[in-house]
Amino acid sequence: MVFRKLPGVSASGMGLRLSQKFVFLLFLSGLVTLCFGALFFLPDSVRLKRIFLSKTEIQPVTVGSGSENDVREHLKRPKQEQEHPRGMTSAKGETGTKAKSLSRKPSVSHEATEERLAGGKAQEDLTLARSKIESSSERATSSDRGANTDTFSYQKYRGCLMKPPLGRDNGKPGDPQTNERREKVKEMMKFAWDNYKRYAWGKNELRPLTRNGHIGNMFGGLRGASIIDSLDTLYIMGLMEEYTEAKDWVQTSLDLNSNGEASLFEVNIRYVGGLLSAYYLTGEELFRSKAMELGEKLLPAFNTPTGIPRGVINLGSGTSWSWGWASAGSSILAEFGTLHLEFVHLSELSNNPIYTEKVMNIRKLLNKIEKPHGLYPNFLSPVSGNWVQHHVSIGGLGDSFYEYLIKSYLMSDKTDDDAKRMYYGALEAIEANLVQKSPGGLTYMAEWRGGILDHKMGHLACFSGGMIGIGADDGAPEKRQHYLDLAAEITHTCHESYTRSATKLGPEAFRFDGGAEATATRLSDRYYILRPEVIESYMYMWRLTHDPKYREWGWEAVEALEQHCRVEAGFSGIRDVYTMTVSHDNMQQSFFLSETLKYLYLLFSDDDLLPMEDWVFNTEAHPLPIIRKSCQRGEATQDKTASK
Ligand code: DMJ
C-alpha cells in the first residue's frame, strides 16, 4: 500500500496516527457488535428487541392469537395437534391464515376469565383434579376470544347458562344413604372403565368374558366407541384421571379417516354427540374440532333425491345406501329423525348453517306428507319421500324420532314451534291409536301394523315415560297433569317388566296378550343387554316428581346389575332374565357407560348436576346445552342468581 506524503507530517508520525485510528475503529465496531448481541438476551417484551429482531425471531410465530407463551406451548405440542392448532378453525372449518394469527393479543384477559367462571362453574367447589383440567381448558379456549367474531364463543355460551353445569357441590346429595348409592354407581363406572382399558383399549367395546375387544361393524372403522361414550360420564363423576386418559386417546389416536361402512345414526349419537358434550362441558377445543371433522364426513348421506339420508355411509368415499333389511331401500324414522340435536349444535359451533338446513329439510318433508291417523310410520323412501309400509312403533325403529321432537323444542329455548306442534300432534295420535290398558291395569304402548295392534312393548319403548314426563309442562294446560300421569304409568309398567323376572332385570320385549302381563313370551325376547331406557325414565320421573320410589327402583336395578351382570372383568348382558343361572352374552355395550351408569348417577345426585333448565340429553345420554340465541348475541342476559 502507498501512502501519499502529507505536508509537515513525517512518515513515522503518519504511521502512528493511522494505527491509532485503526485501533479506535476496531474498538467502535466491537462495541456495536456487543450491543447488538446483547439484544438477544433481552426479554421478548422489550420494544428495542421487537424493532431489531422482528423478522428473524417473531415472525415464525403464527399460531393462534395468543401470547408468546401460547406459541411455545404450541411448539411443544405433538405434531398431530400442531396440524390443527387450537383456535385456528374458521367459520367454514378451514384452518386459519397466517395473517389472522399474527394479531397478537393477551391470551386470557382477567375479565374474560372471571366471566367464564361466573358463567358456568363455582370454582371453589371443584376438586383439585378437576380444577387442573379446567385451567388447561381455559388455555384451550383462550384462543376463541381472538378469533373471528362470528365464530362460536365458549365464554359467551357459558355466560348464558342459568346454572353451573356441575352444580354447587358436583350434585352431591345431602342424604348419606343416597350418597352411598351414588358412590356405588361411580365404583361401577370405574370398574367397567378399568376393565375396558385393560383388555379392550382402543376397541369399540369390551368382551368381558373372553377379555378382549370388540370392533363390530356399526361405526365404519372408527374405534374407541366406549372411550367417546364415556368422556362426559367420567367428567361428571369426577373420575379425572380416567377422563384425562380418554381425552389423551382422542388427541393421539382417534382417527377419523376411516373408510368403512358406518351407521349414520350410531356415529351421530355416540361419536358426534359424545364429542359435542365433552366440548361443552370442558371447553377443550380438541373435542370441538373432532366433532366438526366428523360432522362434515356425514353430510354426503343427505345426497338423495329428497334429502332424506340413507342409513349407511362410507366415511371415506361418502357413498351411502340403505340397510339391506329395510324394505324397498327405505330409510328408518328413528335414524333420520335422530340427527336434529347434534346437527343444530354442529351449525352453532361452526357458524355454518348447512347442518341445520339438512335436518330442517327432513322436518319439512315429514310435515308435508300425509300421515295415517296422524301417525309416523317407521319406513320412508329417500327417493320418493313416501312411506314404504305402515308399521308404527314408539320402540325400536321409531323411538328417538319422537324424543328428538320434544328435545328440539326444549333445546331451542322453546322457540322451535314446529317441533312443538309436531311432538304434541304425534303424541295425540299415539295416545289415540297405540296406548292401551292391560286387563291387569297396566298402561302400555302397543305397536301398530296398518291398523292392527301388536300388544307388545319393547324395552326401547320404555324411554317414553321420561319423554312424556319432560314434555308434560309445555302441553296444553288442561293436558299437563294427564301427561305427567301417563308418564308415571308407563314408567310403572316398565318397572313391572323388571320385577316380574327372576333376575329383576327387564326383557328386550314384553307382551300383553295370551295372558301375559309385561312378560316376554318368546325365548328370543328374554335377553337384557345392559340397556338404559327404564332407568332413564326413573331419572326423569325422579327429577319431575321427587317421588322416592324412583330412587328405590333405580337401586333395585343396581343390585340386579351387580348380581347378574357383573363378571370378573367388567359387565355383561345376559341371555335370559327369567333364569337365575344366567348365561352372559360377553358384551359390555358402550351405552352402558354412556347412558345406564350416567342416568343412575344422576338419579342419586342432586338436581343441580346438569340441571334441566340448561341441558337436554341426546338419545345416547350425552348432555347438550339449551341454545339461548338472544343471550349469546348479547341482546339479553340470563338471570344469574345466587347459584353462580
Ligand atoms: C342407545 O344407543 C340409544 O339409547 C338409542 O337411542 C337406542 N339404543 C341404545 C340403548 O339401548
Side-chain angles (χ1 to χ4, degrees):
M1 188 185 289
V2 179
F3 290 108
R4 226 171 348 121
K5 196 175 174 228
L6 295 173
V9 178
S10 71
S12 62
M14 192 172 78
L16 187 71
R17 248 171 279 140
L18 266 176
S19 65
Q20 273 173 345
K21 266 189 197 163
F22 181 71
V23 169
F24 177 71
L25 279 173
L26 209 66
F27 171 73
L28 205 68
S29 71
L31 197 70
V32 169
T33 312
L34 249 172
C35 291
F36 195 71
L39 280 172
F40 285 92
F41 297 96
L42 288 174
D44 289 350
S45 52
V46 173
R47 201 164 161 244
L48 260 180
K49 178 174 179 175
R50 292 206 302 270
I51 293 167
F52 283 98
L53 299 181
S54 63
K55 280 236 146 74
T56 51
E57 285 296 285
I58 296 173
Q59 199 160 338
V61 173
T62 58
V63 185
S65 53
S67 68
E68 283 130 26
N69 283 339
D70 287 348
V71 171
R72 279 186 218 113
E73 272 293 298
H74 164 71
L75 294 172
K76 272 190 267 162
R77 284 198 297 272
K79 185 169 178 292
Q80 190 191 2
E81 201 190 340
Q82 288 183 33
E83 282 160 9
H84 303 282
R86 300 186 291 216
M88 289 288 287
T89 307
S90 75
K92 298 269 181 297
E94 299 147 352
T95 46
T97 62
K98 199 169 173 180
K100 223 190 251 172
S101 64
L102 274 172
S103 76
R104 297 159 74 68
K105 293 187 184 143
S107 67
V108 184
S109 78
H110 182 64
E111 296 82 353
T113 310
E114 295 278 277
E115 179 200 7
R116 178 172 132 62
L117 295 177
K121 188 157 290 191
Q123 185 72 0
E124 64 281 7
D125 291 338
L126 296 174
T127 58
L128 179 63
R130 201 184 270 119
S131 319
K132 276 189 191 151
I133 306 273
E134 278 295 292
S135 62
S136 85
S137 79
E138 222 153 77
R139 229 182 306 126
T141 56
S142 65
S143 53
D144 80 352
R145 226 159 301 116
N148 198 334
T149 48
D150 53 4
T151 55
F152 182 82
S153 162
Y154 188 81
Q155 279 68 35
K156 268 196 189 159
Y157 133 72
R158 289 290 289 241
C160 291
L161 293 177
M162 312 275 272
K163 293 180 174 173
L166 302 182
R168 255 188 291 263
D169 192 12
N170 300 316
K172 187 175 176 190
D175 161 44
Q177 190 200 41
T178 308
N179 192 41
E180 225 171 85
R181 290 177 170 186
R182 188 171 98 129
E183 285 302 308
K184 176 67 204 167
V185 176
K186 183 170 167 179
E187 183 277 327
M188 292 164 78
M189 179 69 190
K190 184 157 166 45
F191 180 71
W193 174 262
D194 285 348
N195 281 292
Y196 166 77
K197 195 173 85 185
R198 181 149 179 216
Y199 299 113
W201 188 242
K203 303 288 192 315
N204 286 325
E205 290 103 359
L206 164 70
R207 286 190 174 280
L209 298 189
T210 44
R211 301 185 185 207
N212 58 349
H214 173 253
I215 292 174
N217 51 13
M218 272 189 322
F219 308 117
L222 296 179
R223 298 285 191 268
S226 290
I227 299 177
I228 306 296
D229 255 355
S230 294
L231 281 163
D232 50 15
T233 310
L234 295 170
Y235 188 80
I236 67 162
M237 289 184 177
L239 290 166
M240 300 319 281
E241 213 177 283
E242 291 77 4
Y243 160 76
T244 305
E245 289 161 0
K247 187 189 87 181
D248 290 348
W249 184 87
V250 174
Q251 189 153 40
T252 58
S253 311
L254 176 58
D255 180 8
L256 300 179
N257 293 313
S258 69
N259 201 29
E261 300 158 13
S263 155
L264 170 68
F265 163 79
E266 296 290 357
V267 168
N268 177 59
I269 66 170
R270 301 192 201 206
Y271 283 83
V272 178
L275 291 165
L276 286 173
S277 285
Y279 173 67
Y280 281 116
L281 286 173
T282 67
E284 289 285 354
E285 186 60 28
L286 164 73
F287 298 133
R288 169 163 97 148
S289 58
K290 289 284 185 193
M292 298 311 311
E293 197 183 332
L294 186 53
E296 226 172 293
K297 287 178 186 290
L298 301 182
L299 287 173
F302 294 80
N303 296 337
T304 63
T306 56
I308 297 287
R310 294 196 161 95
V312 188
I313 178 167
N314 181 305
L315 295 173
S317 65
T319 321
S320 71
W321 57 95
S322 303
W323 293 108
W325 50 263
S327 51
S330 55
S331 296
I332 314 297
L333 181 69
E335 295 198 331
F336 63 79
T338 309
L339 303 165
H340 201 101
L341 304 181
E342 297 81 2
F343 273 52
V344 165
H345 270 293
L346 287 175
S347 276
E348 269 298 293
L349 293 184
S350 62
N351 199 31
N352 184 347
I354 185 123
Y355 302 98
T356 302
E357 283 164 14
K358 296 289 180 198
V359 288
M360 282 303 184
N361 181 55
I362 298 175
R363 168 92 64 82
K364 217 158 87 191
L365 188 139
L366 288 176
N367 247 325
K368 222 172 53 191
I369 59 174
E370 208 183 307
K371 290 163 272 292
H373 302 273
L375 295 166
Y376 292 81
N378 291 337
F379 300 96
L380 185 87
S381 162
V383 176
S384 68
N386 293 321
W387 304 116
V388 172
Q389 49 162 264
H390 285 184
H391 173 213
V392 178
S393 157
I394 194 92
L397 305 178
D399 50 6
S400 40
F401 159 69
Y402 305 98
E403 175 186 354
Y404 270 36
L405 286 179
I406 184 63
K407 288 183 177 174
S408 295
Y409 173 64
L410 298 173
M411 197 181 83
S412 72
D413 203 17
K414 305 193 178 180
T415 60
D416 186 348
D417 289 329
D418 264 346
K420 181 183 184 183
R421 194 180 38 73
M422 286 171 76
Y423 170 73
Y424 290 104
L427 186 54
E428 212 166 286
I430 287 167
E431 273 210 84
N433 296 283
L434 270 58
V435 174
Q436 303 287 305
K437 191 75 113 191
S438 75
L442 296 176
T443 304
Y444 64 97
M445 305 254 190
E447 301 200 356
W448 191 89
R449 296 175 195 275
I452 300 186
L453 286 184
D454 186 1
H455 295 273
K456 148 189 158 189
M457 189 165 169
H459 191 288
L460 288 167
C462 284
F463 86 97
S464 61
M467 175 188 75
I468 295 168
I470 57 170
D473 233 18
D474 294 292
E478 70 280 7
K479 287 254 177 136
R480 288 178 189 166
Q481 190 54 49
H482 164 72
Y483 286 144
L484 203 57
D485 294 343
L486 179 60
E489 284 170 33
I490 298 280
T491 308
H492 170 70
T493 299
C494 291
H495 175 246
E496 284 299 301
S497 79
Y498 274 46
T499 58
R500 291 170 192 219
S501 80
T503 56
K504 306 296 171 225
L505 292 165
E508 178 67 4
F510 43 94
R511 304 195 65 90
F512 298 89
D513 50 10
E517 286 264 340
T519 51
T521 54
R522 297 176 190 169
L523 262 179
S524 57
D525 286 338
R526 292 174 162 210
Y527 62 90
Y528 172 69
I529 55 168
L530 306 173
R531 286 200 191 278
E533 291 77 15
V534 176
I535 291 163
E536 174 181 350
S537 284
Y538 297 164
M539 192 282 289
Y540 283 117
M541 293 311 291
W542 161 255
R543 286 226 174 160
L544 293 166
T545 65
H546 287 155
D547 185 332
K549 77 179 175 199
Y550 295 114
R551 278 185 165 168
E552 288 311 314
W553 293 355
W555 186 245
E556 286 168 13
V558 168
E559 290 184 317
L561 284 165
E562 282 287 287
Q563 193 183 341
H564 304 294
C565 299
R566 188 171 180 137
V567 293
E568 258 182 57
F571 286 89
S572 166
I574 57 176
R575 295 211 169 85
D576 186 350
V577 295
Y578 297 103
T579 166
M580 288 297 268
T581 43
V582 291
S583 157
H584 293 106
D585 70 4
N586 194 21
M587 180 67 83
Q588 179 176 285
Q589 303 281 350
S590 80
F591 53 68
F592 180 66
L593 298 103
S594 161
E595 297 191 71
T596 312
L597 293 177
K598 188 189 284 131
Y599 285 133
L600 280 169
Y601 189 76
L602 291 172
L603 176 65
F604 298 121
S605 296
D606 277 357
D607 296 354
D608 65 355
L609 178 57
L610 297 174
M612 282 166 66
E613 291 96 319
D614 284 323
W615 300 89
V616 295
F617 292 89
N618 89 338
T619 195
E620 190 77 0
H622 295 304
L624 296 172
I626 287 174
I627 298 171
R628 302 208 159 91
K629 281 252 184 262
S630 55
C631 174
Q632 287 181 23
R633 280 195 303 254
E635 290 165 18
T637 47
Q638 294 305 308
D639 174 21
K640 291 172 189 164
T641 47
S643 61
K644 290 233 167 151

